[in-house]
Amino acid sequence: MRQVQEGIAYGAMSPMDVMRSLGVTRAGLSSADVAARQKEGGKNVLPKPPGRRAWRVFAQQFRGAMMMVLLVAFIVANVVGHMDDALLILCVIALHACLGFFQEYRADRAFEKLAAYLPRRAQVLRDGVPTDVAAADVVVGDVLLLDAGYHVVADARVLTATALEVNEAALTGESVAVAKQMNYELQITNHEGTRSTMLYAGTSVAAGRATAIVTAIGSHTEFGKIAALTTTVENDRTPLEAQLAVFSRQLAIVILCVVGIVGVFGVARGIPFVDMLVLGIALAVAAIPEGLLVTLTVTLALGMQRIARKRAVVRTLVAAETLGSVTVLCVDKTGTLTTGEMTVTKLATGEASEKEKVKSEKRLIDALAMVNAARDVQRDSHEYVTGSMTEKAIHAFLKEKIWRDEENRDEEQRSMIGELPFSSANKFSARAFRDGDGGRIVAMGAPEVLLGRADCTDAERGMLMSKIEQMSGRGLRVLMVVEKSEKRKEKSTLEETDIVDMHVVGLVGLEDAVRVDVPEMVRVAKAAGIRAVMVTGDHPRTARAVATSIGLVADNDAVMTGVEVTRLNDVALAAQVARVNVFARISPADKLRIVRALQHNGEVVAMTGDGVNDAPALRAADVGIAVGSGTDVAKEAADIVLLDNGFATIIAAVREGRGLFDNIRKVVVYLMASSGSELVLMLAAIALGLPLPLLPIHILWINILSD
């Protein structure tokens, strides 16, 4: 099948070579081609794995030493005719089995949400005609027609692109829209976030328009690979479950030894066999804290309510306790440590005096208002802002300044006589305005591009480069604004060749700002013995800047990238994760490996996430935490869902989890003291040759109800 070829290979081929490889023309596929390819490659859907049968899930609840002892006690009580004892033991067994069945069976819904996340309609070119089809009917070779707001339904190679920007946050976790282009790159990389010629299923077009040829559908897409990771990840036992398993085995051994010794002693004294069976049941019932399962359920349920008051919803009971055992907290940067929205935080001009600086900043703001394309739009009684994420951030900044009213803004638009929208090739946008008998051109974009079109001296260029490096080092996205005045009386268009000999107005720094309470929460986490680790899809420089600002790392601490993670085997990665606290440009598979490596080191890992790319790691972590703005996929894969995105909410929930863990420990101590006293009482009566002071049903009543 053609789609077996990796998307990375298609991304490094020219559009014409891709079309020839897939046997497609500019008119798209014919109806006959579509039918043949669908028969060969199937539907564009994710294959649903065989689900666990309900009876298997229910049967698995009867594993464990404690459950085995209770089952044996139930059988023996039936054989000897003690039906009251048997019925009460059966109630304990049924309660535990039903609770475990409900929790595990509900967890199997994660894949269903994953499949439902994909968009259901697509615009394709077939027989030369734009056609609306179901996403499931898209085949390899289809030519997708994409515009701003459209979802991408399959992996595809860009054929044509106009100012195309794609939101890949669901796959990569990166908050900034990625520019895409048709020209292939010579350098091939394995990380999908850097493939500028490829589009991926599950992403959306943030700005511009494009045509693209489908190279992979269904399980062969990057989205499908994440689905495979999510469904193959098996949840390990929580610390509570592991400790209870060890406790149950030890208790079973003690019970068997005690019953064996008493049995030998009873036979030596000539006690009838049936009486010895009743005695064995009584001893087993006395030793087993039957109330433990019920009491744990109540304790965990109360803990869930307390955690919910901290704006965190616990989806499984055991996760509430595990939260209190967490030693490492893996957090995403975007939306959790930061606000998740781009904001203008820095303006830089070049003037030294305060008076000149104020004047220059006003000029820079004026130029920004002229060149920025974002505008308030009202449609269907709803108001929203058009433009890319960057343009929206600048628009919000300009509105906050309130230096120009809407009437002047409208007048400014009427005087515009030419425009060059942003493109990944030019890396800048520009506008031309009529100003009396002359004109004014303003451009905004990548500093490295516009510097080459500016009239700067070498000294000015060096000063600007120094400022750009300083701002970039703080994790800011830097834009340059340039302008020039010229006579444009007879010219009514704007061309790329006009953007020359420009005067640099200034620099604009944008960032996804850190939440105000995060630095304090990081300090609190460290004081509580919890190690915070940032795992993000963002650029290493951005990740380091944010991590340094919140006190997560020092300036000279290492930052590991996804490429470096891929090069390491599991043993080497486990050694690295013990010392590295920041991981950048991380893929879904990398996140999963990092979680597994931390667990291999004996850590109890909590993982936060919001996108489809986080689902495998959320499932694999000891506690998966989905933030409030996350996708349904992430929430279904997680154990805990936050009602907001704040890091402070996570720390508050962990604090409640630790209190819950302490309560459970007290419960176990109390129950064992109670069961131990009952066992001593029974053994003392046997040793002294006295009648049994308590029958099994009496002990069950005490253990279940009073406990």
Side-chain angles (χ1 to χ4, degrees), residues 268-552:
R269 291 185 55 189
I271 300 175
F273 178 73
V274 173
D275 292 343
M276 287 306 304
L277 280 177
V278 174
L279 180 60
I281 294 173
L283 290 173
V285 169
I288 297 173
E290 294 86 356
L292 178 60
L293 297 177
V294 179
T295 308
L296 281 179
T297 302
V298 175
T299 305
L300 290 171
L302 293 174
M304 288 174 67
Q305 293 177 16
R306 287 197 299 272
I307 294 173
R309 296 191 194 107
K310 304 298 181 181
R311 300 185 62 77
V313 177
V314 182
R315 298 182 64 243
T316 58
L317 286 176
V318 289
E321 177 276 333
T322 310
L323 193 60
S325 308
V326 166
T327 58
V328 174
L329 180 57
C330 295
V331 294
D332 187 25
K333 176 189 75 69
T334 306
T336 304
L337 299 178
T338 64
T339 60
E341 297 178 355
M342 297 296 290
T343 55
V344 175
T345 58
K346 176 74 174 177
L347 295 180
T349 54
E351 287 64 24
S353 70
E354 193 64 30
K355 184 177 180 180
E356 288 296 318
K357 183 178 179 182
V358 171
K359 185 178 178 181
S360 295
E361 285 190 354
K362 186 175 181 181
R363 183 181 178 186
L364 175 56
I365 291 171
D366 181 71
L368 274 176
M370 296 181 73
V371 75
N372 192 46
R375 286 294 179 268
D376 291 319
V377 176
Q378 185 136 3
R379 184 180 298 168
D380 299 329
S381 72
H382 293 288
E383 187 174 296
Y384 63 97
V385 180
T386 62
S388 67
M389 183 179 294
T390 300
E391 291 171 336
K392 290 177 180 178
I394 294 174
H395 181 72
F397 169 75
L398 293 173
K399 289 184 72 173
E400 185 179 343
K401 287 294 181 180
I402 319 176
W403 64 274
R404 173 172 294 193
D405 59 32
E406 293 293 334
E407 183 179 343
N408 286 338
R409 198 172 297 178
D410 293 340
E411 180 65 31
E412 177 184 278
Q413 290 301 299
R414 285 195 292 272
S415 68
M416 188 174 72
I417 57 176
E419 181 176 18
L420 288 175
F422 178 88
S423 71
S424 56
N426 295 336
K427 295 188 177 179
F428 67 82
S429 61
R431 286 180 166 187
F433 297 86
R434 184 175 290 109
D435 185 10
D437 291 336
R440 183 180 180 188
I441 299 176
V442 185
M444 173 180 69
E448 65 272 18
V449 174
L450 291 179
L451 261 180
R453 296 172 178 265
D455 59 358
C456 300
T457 64
D458 289 342
E460 290 172 335
R461 192 181 304 274
M463 181 269 294
L464 286 168
M465 288 300 299
S466 176
K467 284 192 175 184
I468 292 168
E469 289 177 5
Q470 289 176 8
M471 294 170 69
S472 298
R474 289 176 45 198
L476 300 181
R477 184 185 184 192
V478 184
L479 299 176
M480 178 174 283
V481 179
V482 297
E483 69 173 7
K484 73 174 180 180
S485 298
E486 66 171 8
K487 294 182 179 180
R488 301 183 59 87
K489 189 173 182 180
E490 297 179 358
K491 197 167 183 178
S492 59
T493 61
L494 179 64
E495 299 172 3
E496 184 182 340
T497 54
D498 294 323
I499 314 300
V500 292
D501 298 327
M502 307 293 288
H503 172 70
V504 177
V505 183
L507 302 172
V508 181
L510 300 96
E511 71 172 335
D512 185 2
V514 171
R515 291 177 179 269
V516 293
D517 56 355
V518 166
E520 173 62 17
M521 290 300 102
V522 169
R523 188 194 64 77
V524 170
K526 286 183 179 180
I530 300 172
R531 176 184 162 206
V533 176
M534 181 194 293
V535 184
T536 179
D538 270 343
H539 192 279
R541 181 182 291 172
T542 305
R544 178 189 289 279
V546 172
T548 304
S549 69
I550 64 176
L552 195 61

Side-chain angles (χ1 to χ4, degrees), residues 156-174:
R157 170 61 163 89
V158 177
L159 297 180
T160 64
T162 303
L164 181 62
E165 293 187 20
V166 178
N167 184 348
E168 294 185 339
L171 279 178
T172 66
E174 190 167 357

Side-chain angles (χ1 to χ4, degrees), residues 15-307:
M16 291 306 298
D17 287 342
V18 174
M19 294 180 71
R20 277 194 292 268
S21 173
L22 296 176
V24 182
T25 68
R26 288 283 183 183
L29 298 174
S30 66
S31 300
D33 286 336
V34 172
R37 294 182 184 219
Q38 204 164 75
K39 183 177 181 180
E40 181 185 2
K43 293 278 190 178
N44 181 30
V45 294
L46 299 179
K48 188 173 181 179
R52 293 188 300 170
R53 293 183 179 275
W55 67 267
R56 284 186 179 276
V57 178
F58 188 74
Q60 289 174 350
Q61 308 308 314
F62 294 90
R63 297 175 302 177
M66 186 180 294
M67 184 64 79
M68 288 298 103
V69 173
L70 285 174
L71 286 171
V72 170
F74 169 71
I75 293 170
V76 173
N78 270 290
V79 170
V80 299
H82 287 247
M83 300 307 297
D84 292 342
D85 297 340
L87 183 61
L88 207 48
I89 294 173
L90 181 63
C91 289
V92 174
I93 294 172
L95 179 62
H96 173 72
C98 290
L99 179 63
F101 169 78
F102 175 74
Q103 292 175 0
E104 290 192 26
Y105 201 67
R106 186 176 61 174
D108 290 340
R109 294 176 53 203
F111 184 85
E112 297 174 11
K113 288 289 184 180
L114 185 61
Y117 185 72
L118 289 172
R120 299 183 179 181
R121 306 297 299 180
Q123 283 282 330
V124 298
L125 193 64
R126 289 183 179 172
D127 296 315
V129 179
T131 308
D132 182 73
V133 300
D137 293 333
V138 170
V139 298
V140 172
D142 259 327
V143 176
L144 298 176
L145 306 177
L146 299 166
D147 208 336
Y150 281 37
H151 288 280
V152 182
V153 300
D155 288 1
R157 170 61 163 89
V158 177
L159 297 180
T160 64
T162 303
L164 181 62
E165 293 187 20
V166 178
N167 184 348
E168 294 185 339
L171 279 178
T172 66
E174 190 167 357
S175 57
V176 179
V178 180
K180 299 289 183 174
Q181 59 187 10
M182 61 176 287
N183 296 323
Y184 68 95
E185 298 172 329
L186 295 178
Q187 184 178 4
I188 300 175
T189 173
N190 285 324
H191 280 260
E192 63 271 9
T194 58
R195 299 182 206 154
S196 62
T197 59
M198 293 295 297
L199 305 178
Y200 300 98
T203 64
S204 60
V205 179
R209 65 182 67 88
T211 61
I213 184 169
V214 174
T215 58
I217 61 173
S219 59
H220 294 279
T221 63
E222 293 292 335
F223 195 97
K225 294 172 186 176
I226 296 175
L229 282 175
T230 303
T231 55
T232 55
V233 170
E234 294 184 5
N235 290 331
D236 295 331
R237 289 186 299 187
T238 68
L240 176 62
E241 291 171 326
Q243 291 170 15
L244 284 178
V246 173
F247 171 71
S248 299
R249 286 194 298 270
Q250 294 173 344
L251 185 60
I253 293 172
V254 170
I255 291 172
L256 290 175
C257 290
V258 170
V259 171
I261 293 171
V262 172
V264 171
F265 181 72
V267 170
R269 291 185 55 189
I271 300 175
F273 178 73
V274 173
D275 292 343
M276 287 306 304
L277 280 177
V278 174
L279 180 60
I281 294 173
L283 290 173
V285 169
I288 297 173
E290 294 86 356
L292 178 60
L293 297 177
V294 179
T295 308
L296 281 179
T297 302
V298 175
T299 305
L300 290 171
L302 293 174
M304 288 174 67
Q305 293 177 16
R306 287 197 299 272
I307 294 173

Side-chain angles (χ1 to χ4, degrees), residues 559-621:
V559 174
M560 183 171 283
T561 65
V563 174
E564 294 170 321
V565 170
T566 303
R567 290 173 182 163
L568 298 177
N569 60 33
D570 291 343
V571 175
L573 181 59
Q576 289 296 318
V577 298
R579 66 179 186 86
V580 177
N581 285 339
V582 179
F583 296 87
R585 284 289 191 236
I586 295 299
S587 70
D590 295 335
K591 289 185 180 183
L592 183 58
R593 289 192 65 207
I594 290 169
V595 169
R596 289 302 194 199
L598 288 166
Q599 291 172 328
H600 179 269
N601 292 343
E603 306 285 3
V604 179
V605 182
M607 175 77 190
T608 71
D610 60 351
V612 175
N613 62 314
D614 298 317
L618 289 173
R619 286 288 299 274

